[in-house]
Amino acid sequence: MSNSMTATTLAKRLLSSQPYWQTEAGRSLWEAQRACLGPVAEARVGGHSLEMSMGPAMMTMSAIPHVIRWSPTRQLAHQDATLICPPDQLALPDKCLDVMIIHHWLEHLDAAHFTLQEAARVTADNGILVLFGFNPIGVSGLARQWRKRQKQFPWNGAWRTANRLRDWLTFVDFEVERVDYCCFRGRTNAKCAEYWESLGRRHNVPLGESYMIQARRRQRQAPVQRLKFGLSAPASPASLGVTRSGSSSQSRPRLEHSVKAHCKKDQEID
């Protein structure tokens, strides 16, 4: 499908992100993201799910019986149900997943649009595709302008706006149902304050550090075939219309002959 990155490169990028999730800022962000995902995951029952995550597992609250994790190498697989393959060449059949999650990987892949195309391919018609990303117009996005030279996670990723990913999803025939913003804090190394988090989530203020996009496959409308009735046009402008026995001009002499015969019979009786 594409010039896939090597497993070694992907493994290095995944390992480089792990120290961040162990910090207070990283744990706070992960908890806020998991709180956003909770209502979505808990509403799904049965089926299969795949999680491509840069951080710890997030689908632990799900009622889906078959939860699969993705890993670039066997050494980084921490559970039996792990899919090991290139991210843009998922070893899964079409439309087999009820929930497909990409957690920050689109920011750290050279050909991210190919991975999104694969994620759309394996998502079922009634399934959901969930994307997590850092918000470039949030407080952290503004702070990132002064940290572009830093090479550590998460500042070294390609941060994209939710509207940019909306365009990408349209290209793969998906439509965005909802965008949720989460993790509201004044400083990038601080914990997400409960008050600001509650206020920001309630009004869905687009200034959160991260966003969660829910998307579904675009439903195509079935073509409507119009029925054609074989009614012929009136025989002449003076006629009143078409009847079952033909035009009104043909039926009129028969009607007059019937009336005259009936009147003659009445006169003979008298």
Side-chain angles (χ1 to χ4, degrees), residues 17-31 56 153-155 185 188-191 209:
S17 69
Q18 300 311 300
Y20 171 77
W21 302 109
Q22 302 302 321
T23 64
E24 182 179 15
R27 289 194 302 269
S28 180
L29 172 62
W30 179 84
E31 292 173 356
F153 184 89
W155 313 108
R185 50 189 170 190
T188 57
N189 60 346
K191 186 177 182 180
E209 182 174 330

Side-chain angles (χ1 to χ4, degrees), residues 53-82:
S53 178
M54 292 287 275
M58 304 182 68
M59 286 289 289
T60 54
M61 85 294 285
S62 173
I64 294 179
H66 191 201
V67 179
I68 309 171
R69 290 266 292 177
W70 175 86
S71 176
T73 62
R74 188 180 299 275
Q75 291 74 17
L76 296 178
H78 300 296
Q79 65 183 46
D80 295 335
T82 302

